[in-house]
Amino acid sequence: MHANLPNTYQYIIAGGGMAGLSLAFYLNQSTLKNQSILIIDREIKSANDHTWCFWEQGRGTFEEIIYRQWNGLWFYGHQDFAQFLAIEEYAYKMLRGEDFYQFVIPLLKQNPNITFLQADVLAIKSENNVAEVQTNQGLFMAEQWVFDSVSVSKFNQPNYHNMLQHFKGWVIESDKPSFQPAQPTLFDFRIEQQNECRFVYVLPHSETKALIEFTIFSDNLLKDEDYDVQLKQYIREVLKIESYRIEEVEKGVIPMSDEPQLISPMPKVMRIGTAGGYVKASTGYSFQRTQRFLQRLVKDLEQPQNLKTLGNFGTSTWKALLDSVLLNVMLHKRMPADEIFTSLFKHNRPADVLKFLDEDTSFWQDIALMQSVPSIPFMLGAKGVLLSKLY
Ligand SMILES: Cc1cc2nc3c(=O)[nH]c(=O)nc-3n(C[C@H](O)[C@H](O)[C@H](O)COP(=O)(O)OP(=O)(O)OC[C@H]3O[C@@H](n4cnc5c(N)ncnc54)[C@H](O)[C@@H]3O)c2cc1C
């Protein structure tokens, strides 16, 4: 037992990363802010370990700590398609991990009902309707819920579509002005595709500083130095920058999977964040979905009559099918991904594509959007998905 801490709380949040801290943030703004909450993470969160980007209409929850935002994005696609796309009602926003932690954690620490514990979570169990978290600092019990963002699935079940979005990015400072601060690049497919989906994005901080990230959607990772080779080559050959310093490095792997996640694997335990399947399967984006899902979760927690459907706010069957088909087309290489994304952004209003990726479009808008991509690969993809569900 941890010497200085009580062993029972109303809520325990296992993993105080993006989802865990966001949940605590919304609980702290709700009528539940007087409940005792324990947040357990193995790290003291302060490093700039993530750069979260997302699109949003109007001002959002974390507006005051948004680092940069843009109202248009460069797209360099298939067959020399190159266009600066106005995203109209949306802004593409960048939030740095360190700013998020420095904003949220001190705010939560002002609430005497919220306790932080730096510890390794070893196991999460539920016995006699009490959920327990076993850590290397002792055992803690939750009377209401344990919210678990540490038990991430392996995403390797057969009969599902499991891809990885893996990337490495550098924040570089160039000797000479090299970037247009108002003009980020969302997709640059002008790199060797190697029969995968490969692109670079460039998010400028200033005329001399930008985050440049080399990204792949595939089912296998590269060696660390291979990402570096690609970054160096892009900076030299596409951006034509000769002299620069690497100021920060970001690396990550995000599951892109249609494998269903067990939201509540045992009584009084609910998975959230990547562990709860919050990542949008076909894009790997999850920051905004996590905010939306957790705001709703806290509203439902405030209303005990909603407890039956608690946590079940995922994707509709139709939207999940669209994700699976896109994953199937990419995994089985039915059509090069640069051609798919080029078709989508070339033939539709860019803001509608963002709305579609956010699952905010109607069935008929989805059908209209799908008509802008070649039908045969997607029909084969749909057939592949249906067959995988049958066998
Ligand atoms: C580098 C990177 C960049 C990303 N960029 C974007 C983006 O631009 N836009 C977007 O929408 N999505 C992005 N994502 C995807 C997603 O938004 C992030 O992965 C997000 O951090 C997921 O939130 P989470 O709370 O599930 O996981 P995390 O934020 O990783 O939080 C999990 C926490 O659990 C802790 N932990 C894990 N295991 C244990 C244990 N056994 N004991 C104690 N603590 C433990 C970790 O220290 C961590 O703090 C990115 C992902 C990565 C990796």
Side-chain angles (χ1 to χ4, degrees):
M1 173 57 48
H2 192 282
N4 305 316
L5 291 182
N7 64 353
T8 304
Y9 296 81
Q10 292 301 313
Y11 301 117
I12 298 180
I13 300 177
M18 190 270 278
L21 290 173
S22 300
L23 174 60
F25 179 84
Y26 295 120
L27 283 169
N28 191 44
Q29 289 184 331
S30 77
T31 53
L32 301 166
K33 64 173 181 237
N34 296 325
Q35 307 281 334
S36 54
I37 303 171
L38 176 67
I39 304 172
I40 308 173
D41 202 293
R42 55 159 65 120
E43 293 173 7
I44 305 247
K45 305 295 283 185
S46 59
N48 193 36
D49 54 3
H50 293 79
T51 302
W52 290 295
C53 289
F54 54 92
W55 52 94
E56 185 170 50
Q57 296 187 27
R59 288 179 64 80
T61 312
F62 298 109
E63 200 63 26
E64 58 192 282
I65 49 164
I66 293 298
Y67 187 68
R68 293 286 181 274
Q69 56 180 292
W70 302 277
N71 51 21
L73 301 157
W74 273 103
F75 185 103
Y76 297 95
H78 181 60
Q79 288 183 335
D80 296 333
F81 175 73
Q83 203 166 309
F84 187 69
L85 307 168
I87 53 174
E88 303 186 50
E89 64 267 36
Y90 287 100
Y92 194 73
K93 302 185 180 181
M94 179 202 267
L95 174 56
R96 285 158 56 90
E98 63 179 335
D99 295 334
F100 177 76
Y101 303 132
Q102 275 168 25
F103 176 72
V104 175
I105 295 172
L107 211 72
L108 298 177
K109 285 191 171 165
Q110 286 172 20
N111 182 342
N113 301 304
I114 299 180
T115 307
F116 281 84
L117 172 67
Q118 188 182 4
D120 269 325
V121 173
L122 304 176
I124 297 178
K125 292 186 193 146
S126 181
E127 266 171 34
N128 303 323
N129 224 18
V130 175
E132 302 175 348
V133 181
Q134 198 186 328
T135 75
N136 61 349
Q137 304 283 321
L139 183 69
F140 297 92
M141 259 90 69
E143 289 191 343
Q144 305 273 348
W145 285 98
V146 169
F147 298 105
D148 174 7
S149 63
V150 306
S151 307
V152 179
S153 138
K154 291 197 168 38
F155 293 100
N156 60 0
Q157 282 186 38
N159 291 344
Y160 293 101
H161 299 88
N162 287 312
M163 286 185 97
L164 299 169
Q165 177 176 149
H166 45 112
F167 49 88
K168 185 165 185 182
W170 292 343
V171 174
I172 66 163
E173 176 84 50
S174 58
D175 286 348
K176 295 187 193 140
S178 312
F179 307 104
Q180 303 265 19
Q183 298 194 7
T185 297
L186 181 63
F187 284 113
D188 191 342
F189 284 108
R190 293 172 299 174
I191 57 173
E192 203 44 64
Q193 292 294 296
Q194 303 208 1
N195 207 18
E196 293 180 324
C197 173
R198 294 179 164 216
F199 60 91
V200 174
Y201 60 83
V202 181
L203 302 174
H205 297 191
S206 69
E207 284 187 342
T208 53
K209 196 168 174 177
L211 168 65
I212 298 155
E213 202 136 305
F214 166 61
T215 306
I216 309 182
F217 297 174
S218 74
D219 49 359
N220 55 334
L221 305 180
L222 301 187
K223 285 198 263 112
D224 191 53
E225 55 270 26
D226 293 341
Y227 299 92
D228 294 343
V229 169
Q230 295 290 332
L231 282 165
K232 272 187 205 151
Q233 191 175 335
Y234 184 84
I235 293 168
R236 192 180 58 243
E237 291 176 9
V238 180
L239 298 177
K240 314 264 185 245
I241 300 174
E242 293 296 336
S243 176
Y244 60 90
R245 289 173 303 288
I246 301 169
E247 302 221 316
E248 287 173 40
V249 178
E250 173 180 273
K251 206 173 165 199
V253 181
I254 306 174
M256 295 172 72
S257 169
D258 59 1
E259 198 180 293
Q261 297 304 296
L262 266 180
I263 302 289
S264 184
M266 55 194 109
K268 300 208 164 185
V269 176
M270 189 184 300
R271 292 191 178 154
I272 59 168
T274 305
Y278 289 11
V279 178
K280 167 86 174 155
S282 56
T283 65
Y285 279 94
S286 82
F287 186 86
Q288 271 300 76
R289 280 160 75 87
T290 301
Q291 304 311 317
R292 276 204 294 268
F293 289 0
L294 294 176
Q295 281 169 350
R296 181 158 155 208
L297 174 61
V298 170
K299 277 211 175 71
D300 288 352
L301 285 167
E302 285 179 305
Q303 313 275 335
Q305 69 270 23
N306 292 336
L307 285 185
K308 267 197 193 142
T309 53
L310 201 67
N312 288 320
F313 26 62
T315 301
S316 71
T317 312
W318 163 245
K319 300 284 185 189
L321 177 70
L322 291 178
D323 274 341
S324 296
V325 172
L326 184 53
L327 286 178
N328 185 287
V329 170
M330 289 197 287
L331 257 178
H332 295 284
K333 308 189 192 304
R334 300 188 194 279
M335 181 181 174
D338 59 334
E339 292 183 35
I340 302 172
F341 287 105
T342 304
S343 296
L344 273 176
F345 278 97
K346 193 172 174 179
H347 300 300
N348 296 286
R349 199 174 71 96
D352 286 341
V353 180
L354 298 182
K355 197 171 282 185
F356 169 70
L357 297 176
D358 254 353
E359 302 179 3
D360 271 350
T361 37
S362 69
F363 174 77
W364 293 111
Q365 286 172 311
D366 292 346
I367 298 290
L369 249 119
M370 293 310 293
Q371 280 172 351
S372 62
V373 291
S375 55
I376 290 174
F378 280 83
M379 279 159 62
L380 290 173
K383 188 174 153 207
V385 170
L386 295 176
L387 288 177
S388 72
K389 303 236 179 279
L390 288 177
Y391 300 106

